[in-house]
Amino acid sequence: MIKIGELSKVTGCSVQTIRHYEKEQLIASAERSEGNFRLYDEAAVEQLLFIKHCRSLDLSLPEIRQLLALNRSPGAQCDDVNRMMDRHIEQVEARIQELTKLNEQLRKLRRSCSNRRTVKQCGILRNLSATPVSSG
Amino acid sequence: MIKIGELSKVTGCSVQTIRHYEKEQLIASAERSEGNFRLYDEAAVEQLLFIKHCRSLDLSLPEIRQLLALNRSPGAQCDDVNRMMDRHIEQVEARIQELTKLNEQLRKLRRSCSNRRTVKQCGILRNLSATPVSSG
DNA sequence: ATTGACTCTATAGTTATTATAGAGTTTATA
DNA sequence: TATAAACTCTATAATAACTATAGAGTCAAT
Ligand SMILES: [Zn+2]
Ligand SMILES: [Zn+2]
Ligand SMILES: [Zn+2]
Ligand SMILES: [Zn+2]
């Protein structure tokens, strides 16, 4: 059994984050020592790594909670998992699109000024003041 | 002179957002009517549209505050504007990279399960439990 | 006994809004 | 004129996923 600091080192999650996950019911309430310290076993390490992996894929805590619940009912069909993943992937792709478009606009804007100009002549500020370019 | 609801309609910013921008000092405190209602003129409309344009480019409120300050000192060199834009563009591009990589991982993960499997056999959950693939 | 490292809970801060509650103002209608 | 509807005011809380405190308690070593 390890204490929370050790768990933090092993998993790379901060101590506060681990406590936060407990409060948010992503991990079960840990056993406590006599002095009221949280105690964790190997299973806790693995569950935390699972969560961390999910977070690295930008899955939200509610999404992860859903995955963990499914994990606990191994007989269920996994259509739900798939639906969630599809939706998540869709959102990521939409965000990529958005940012790509944004990036083009920013670069264009940036080209409208070279250094050592005066703010008064600055194309960036002038263009920012103009009505935003519509997407069409 | 128009009231805040009208300004909201004209600019497409919500009433609360406008009040928020005032509190955050992005726009000057509005004049007040006898009944203590905020009153705006055409200049306010334009400044709000400027802010909205900036926000649509994902510039943060502090960044916009900086732009507005520069806008008020037309004699200054605009190197600062450029530096900020460069940094902002860098961040957007970094985020695009991140999400693109993420998207690949998600799609790969998604392929590891077809519908009508059982959670127990689910490649998604199995793969999520495994240690994340390192980037190398 | 005391120090230092660790842990505990509770609370507040982060970003840019959005959503309330409860009170006051203005405009339109009966 | 009374009343209702629509609007506005301030202040406060919620959102997501942490991070950072404060103040107190625990534990191991000196
Ligand atoms: Zn998602
Ligand atoms: Zn410039
Ligand atoms: Zn930025
Ligand atoms: Zn599956």
Side-chain angles (χ1 to χ4, degrees), chain A residues 94-109:
Chain A
R95 186 62 183 150
I96 289 173
Q97 287 257 340
E98 244 178 58
L99 286 178
T100 301
K101 199 165 140 194
L102 187 59
N103 192 33
E104 279 164 27
Q105 290 176 1
L106 284 168
R107 289 187 151 279
K108 195 163 142 195
L109 194 58

Side-chain angles (χ1 to χ4, degrees), chain B residues 14 16-17 20-21 35 37 55 60-62:
Chain B
S14 79
Q16 303 103 294
T17 297
H20 180 65
Y21 287 168
F37 286 10
R55 288 293 301 135
S60 67
L61 299 195

Side-chain angles (χ1 to χ4, degrees), chain B residues 58-60 63 84 87-88 91:
Chain B
D58 248 13
L59 290 162
S60 67
E63 281 169 338
M84 188 226 284
R87 204 168 38 227
H88 187 73
Q91 279 169 16

Side-chain angles (χ1 to χ4, degrees), chain A residues 53-111:
Chain A
H53 191 177
C54 292
R55 287 296 299 137
S56 80
L57 297 171
D58 248 13
L59 290 162
S60 67
L61 299 196
E63 283 169 335
I64 297 171
R65 205 181 285 117
Q66 193 183 337
L67 283 177
L68 290 167
L70 279 165
N71 229 351
R72 270 183 253 107
S73 50
Q77 301 285 320
C78 57
D79 302 27
D80 286 351
V81 181
N82 293 326
R83 252 193 301 281
M84 188 225 285
M85 289 297 286
D86 288 341
R87 204 168 39 227
H88 187 76
I89 288 171
E90 240 174 60
Q91 280 170 14
V92 169
E93 288 179 351
R95 186 62 183 150
I96 289 173
Q97 287 257 340
E98 244 178 58
L99 286 178
T100 301
K101 199 165 140 194
L102 187 59
N103 192 33
E104 279 164 27
Q105 290 176 1
L106 284 168
R107 289 187 151 279
K108 195 163 142 195
L109 194 58
R110 177 62 181 84
R111 279 197 297 275

Side-chain angles (χ1 to χ4, degrees), chain A residues 78 81-82, chain B residues 113-114 117-118 122-124:
Chain A
C78 57
V81 181
N82 293 326
Chain B
C113 175
S114 39
R117 276 206 219 167
T118 239
C122 180
I124 293 181

Side-chain angles (χ1 to χ4, degrees), chain B residues 23-83:
Chain B
K23 185 159 30 169
E24 293 292 320
Q25 315 244 38
L26 287 171
I27 54 181
S29 294
E31 280 181 65
R32 298 299 180 108
S33 71
E34 280 198 23
N36 199 33
F37 286 10
R38 289 174 178 83
L39 296 177
Y40 299 95
D41 57 11
E42 191 53 36
V45 174
E46 291 195 8
Q47 191 156 35
L48 207 45
L49 287 175
F50 176 91
I51 294 172
K52 204 188 168 198
H53 191 176
C54 291
R55 288 293 301 135
S56 79
L57 297 171
D58 248 13
L59 290 162
S60 67
L61 299 195
E63 281 169 338
I64 297 170
R65 205 181 285 117
Q66 193 184 338
L67 283 176
L68 290 167
L70 279 165
N71 229 353
R72 271 183 253 109
S73 52
Q77 301 285 321
C78 57
D79 303 25
D80 286 350
V81 181
N82 293 327
R83 252 194 300 281

